Amino acid sequence: MRRLNVPLGDRSYDVVVGRGVAAELESLLPMTAQRAAVITQDGIPAEIVLPGLDVETFVIGQGEGAKTLRTIETLVRGFAEMGLTRNDVVIGVGGGMVTDVAGFAASTWHRGVPVVHVSTSLLGMVDAAIGGKTGVNLPEGKNLVGAYWQPTGVLCDLDFLDTLPPREMRCGLGEMAKYHFLTGDDLLAMDLEERVARCIEIKAEVVASDEREGGRRALLNYGHTFAHALEIATQHGLAHGEAVAVGLIYAAELGFELGRIDAARVQEHRAVVAGEYDLMANPPLGLDADELVSLMYRDKKAVGLGLTFVLDGPAGLEVVSGVGETQVRAAMARILG
């Protein structure tokens, strides 16, 4: 078992990683809690035992289509019925979609109640449950409505991964591949616990230096601008981690188009994503370039004229604003086929 820390002053919190660590959940709960609102989904293999607490369980829908303001309204009205107060706790039990929704619901109820995340997916453990980003989707875009709301603790029991479907594991690997380009770490050379812990350490260090994405934290979005457009254009037929894998390749092609990296570095991206991580490197056939460009303009990270991307370059990953549509489309043509 490893107990890591996200250092945010008086809002610092622990992340517990390992096999069989579900028993540590009680140690992450606020001492004041008398009630717990557990938010989860059907099929999540997690038994939550909270002795001495009045527990109400809320089961939300599956998939990005349930990640909506309507779901938030249903949850907070349920909080009202159970009498949840600021001294109580919300517990999100599930993957990244669950923790995004649970965190946002907690941030809005009584203007903020504590939330603890019990992450049951690889994607959630290495990314979504850490760092305090919460949100839901609109028809116009992904995660456009949300808040920064740090949890009071995160539990990553690796036993949950034993029954995770292969596609969900691939989603987590998409985010792991991103960390490869952020740090150069050979994560696949580590055992599972060390690998998950290292990803958490990387994200915790970045979040501690830039909690609200005013600078360095934006680098964690490498591959995500195009990925979010892909998710919407495919009606979420591509899961988030799958889309991020393709987004990493697109970002490399765009970096090449802008003269920031050479062809060998683009090939290295393909070798890591498709070779080492065995992930898809090209999107499904038949996608419309005009739609993808339009969706990227709606991205919440877009600022000013042109588009904003995290791109590789001589100094490593950097945020690049004002990227022209000609270059955006040229890079897209190389991966759309």
Side-chain angles (χ1 to χ4, degrees):
M1 183 185 80
R2 299 171 188 235
R3 188 176 283 261
L4 311 171
N5 185 259
V6 182
L8 290 168
D10 60 0
R11 291 174 296 104
S12 298
Y13 55 92
D14 286 346
V15 183
V16 183
V17 183
R19 288 196 174 274
V21 298
E24 298 294 316
L25 175 58
E26 195 169 356
S27 72
L28 300 176
L29 301 179
M31 298 286 291
T32 58
Q34 298 182 30
R35 303 169 192 82
V38 175
I39 300 173
T40 189
Q41 293 173 314
D42 283 333
I44 299 294
E47 294 294 328
I48 300 301
V49 179
L50 299 171
L53 292 186
D54 180 10
V55 179
E56 186 81 22
T57 299
F58 299 87
V59 179
I60 63 175
Q62 302 279 350
E64 294 287 333
K67 192 178 173 183
T68 64
L69 288 169
R70 180 172 294 181
T71 296
I72 298 299
E73 180 183 3
T74 299
L75 289 171
V76 296
R77 293 184 71 178
F79 297 170
E81 290 179 9
M82 70 178 287
L84 197 74
T85 74
R86 284 182 177 175
N87 290 327
D88 295 319
V89 64
V90 173
I91 304 175
V93 182
M97 183 265 196
V98 170
T99 56
D100 275 4
V101 168
F104 187 40
S107 76
T108 62
W109 181 246
H110 287 186
R111 298 190 177 93
V113 298
V115 62
V116 172
H117 296 317
V118 179
S119 186
T120 63
S121 73
L122 183 60
L123 175 65
M125 291 178 187
V126 302
D127 187 66
I130 315 296
K133 276 190 178 182
T134 74
V136 296
N137 305 330
L138 296 177
E140 291 78 11
K142 183 177 170 69
N143 293 332
L144 291 180
V145 182
Y148 289 95
W149 189 247
Q150 298 293 344
T152 60
V154 179
L155 187 72
C156 301
D157 192 327
L158 302 181
D159 287 346
F160 296 142
L161 302 182
D162 292 342
T163 55
L164 201 67
R167 188 182 189 194
E168 290 298 320
M169 285 295 291
R170 288 197 301 273
C171 283
L173 291 175
E175 289 288 352
M176 277 193 175
K178 172 194 74 177
Y179 287 120
H180 173 99
F181 296 109
L182 186 66
T183 66
D185 287 4
D186 185 2
L187 296 168
L188 292 180
M190 305 174 185
D191 65 33
L192 183 60
E193 181 176 318
E194 184 181 6
R195 194 185 316 164
V196 171
R198 178 59 184 142
C199 289
I200 292 168
E201 286 174 346
I202 295 167
K203 184 159 190 181
E205 192 271 328
V206 172
V207 168
S209 68
D210 178 24
E211 182 180 0
R212 291 178 173 263
E213 208 169 277
R216 186 170 172 232
R217 183 169 179 172
L219 301 182
L220 295 173
N221 294 316
Y222 191 43
H224 282 56
T225 299
F226 189 63
H228 288 166
L230 283 175
E231 289 179 76
I232 297 166
T234 61
Q235 291 80 50
H236 301 287
L238 278 184
H240 177 68
E242 294 172 324
V244 167
V246 178
L248 293 172
I249 303 302
Y250 175 75
E253 293 285 5
L254 183 57
F256 174 75
E257 185 67 28
L258 294 172
R260 294 177 55 84
I261 60 174
D262 59 18
R265 182 62 170 164
V266 176
Q267 185 54 40
E268 182 182 343
H269 276 68
R270 290 187 174 274
V272 169
V273 171
E276 295 182 28
Y277 283 84
D278 195 25
L279 299 168
M280 63 191 304
N282 293 88
L285 296 175
L287 294 177
D288 181 70
D290 291 338
E291 180 185 11
L292 290 169
V293 171
S294 176
L295 288 169
M296 285 192 285
Y297 271 109
R298 296 181 200 168
D299 190 89
K300 60 184 179 298
K301 296 179 289 298
V303 292
L305 297 175
L307 287 162
T308 299
F309 295 89
V310 177
L311 296 176
D312 199 3
L317 301 188
E318 296 177 306
V319 177
V320 180
S321 298
V323 180
E325 194 169 314
T326 299
Q327 291 83 9
V328 166
R329 288 179 178 273
M332 195 179 300
R334 286 199 290 275
I335 70 166
L336 288 182

